[in-house]
């Protein structure tokens, strides 16, 4: 049985990850409307990854004989005024998610819940990659976004991203 606080934070993370999926689908939604199908593809796949993360937290709770409460998912409310806005919002959001993962880790550490810490190790590494990816997208957009030909090539690069299931299997 999991510690009550650890369980509560893990349950909340199911919702947070589904919200991330919803948020990134909205980014995809924005870029589709802008005609930037590569950016739209990149964030649609990002949304699929976030859904996978939610299901991993869901499964981890069930594997530990815990019940899961599915709460309402917040409406994405970001307003974008330029094509850089979602990229910067994405970085800010990933930094926030990193802080959430760290909070769960800290709670698990406090009660010597080594199983949950080991489960979370994958997410600690994943968050490092997410922040790197988000920073890279901003850098590329800063460098190439103002030139139509370069933007076209960047969009083509992002169109090539394909979905792959998470390496963590529970
Ligand atoms: Mg995630």
């Amino acid at each position: 049985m999991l510690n009550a606080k650890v369980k509560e934070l893990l349950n909340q993370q199911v919702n947070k990850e589904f919200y991330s999926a919803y948020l990134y689908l909205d980014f995809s939604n924005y870029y589709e409307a802008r005609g930037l199908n590569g950016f739209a593809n990149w964030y649609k796949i990002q949304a699929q990854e976030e859904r996978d993360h939610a299901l991993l937290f869901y499964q981890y709770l069930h594997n530990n004989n815990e019940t899961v409460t599915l709460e309402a998912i917040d409406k994405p409310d970001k307003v974008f005024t330029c094509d850089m806005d979602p990229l910067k919002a994405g970085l800010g959001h990933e930094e926030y998610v990193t802080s959430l993962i760290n909070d769960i880790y800290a709670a698990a550490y406090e009660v010597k819940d080594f199983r949950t810490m080991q489960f979370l190790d994958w997410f600690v590494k994943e968050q490092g990659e997410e922040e790197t990816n988000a920073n890279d997208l901003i850098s590329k957009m800063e460098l190439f976004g103002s030139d139509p030909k370069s933007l076209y090539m960047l969009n083509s690069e992002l169109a090539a991203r394909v979905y792959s299931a998470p390496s963590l299997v529970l």
Side-chain angles (χ1 to χ4, degrees):
M1 206 173 167
L2 295 173
N3 165 270
K5 188 185 173 192
V6 171
K7 191 239 158 160
E8 175 62 22
L9 292 175
L10 288 166
N11 197 120
Q12 282 175 19
Q13 197 62 28
V14 175
N15 185 275
K16 303 283 187 185
E17 299 288 344
F18 273 125
Y19 174 74
S20 297
Y22 219 34
L23 181 70
Y24 290 141
L25 191 60
D26 198 40
F27 289 12
S28 185
N29 193 28
Y30 166 83
Y31 286 120
E32 285 284 1
R34 292 278 301 138
L36 288 165
N37 66 322
F39 286 76
N41 173 66
W42 203 92
Y43 277 111
K44 195 163 76 177
I45 290 169
Q46 195 63 27
Q48 289 174 289
E49 277 198 359
E50 300 302 345
R51 174 210 56 199
D52 291 340
H53 296 167
L55 294 176
L56 286 166
F57 281 98
Y58 169 90
Q59 194 59 49
Y60 181 76
L61 285 161
H62 277 295
N63 287 359
N64 285 276
N65 295 315
E66 298 288 354
T67 55
V68 178
T69 306
L70 297 176
E71 304 288 356
I73 301 165
D74 289 342
K75 180 180 178 179
D77 59 357
K78 300 260 191 299
V79 177
F80 308 122
T81 54
C82 70
D83 298 333
M84 178 65 98
D85 282 352
L87 307 181
K88 291 200 167 163
L91 175 61
H93 184 68
E94 287 305 330
E95 288 169 345
Y96 167 64
V97 173
T98 297
S99 77
L100 295 175
I101 299 292
N102 288 348
D103 288 346
I104 310 172
Y105 208 108
Y109 179 79
E110 207 168 305
V111 296
K112 294 189 166 75
D113 181 354
F114 300 114
R115 184 190 300 163
T116 297
M117 288 160 66
Q118 193 180 49
F119 165 71
L120 290 172
D121 281 339
W122 186 87
F123 287 92
V124 171
K125 187 162 176 281
E126 174 72 13
Q127 282 312 120
E129 290 169 11
E130 299 284 31
E131 288 186 31
T132 298
N133 289 340
N135 270 308
D136 284 353
L137 280 177
I138 291 169
S139 297
K140 285 178 178 176
M141 195 63 163
E142 278 171 351
L143 286 166
F144 313 123
S146 58
D147 173 57
K149 281 182 199 162
S150 303
L151 180 63
Y152 179 84
M153 288 177 75
L154 177 55
N155 185 65
S156 301
E157 180 191 316
L158 299 180
R161 185 184 184 186
V162 291
Y163 167 76
S164 63
S167 57
L168 179 64
V169 178
L170 295 181

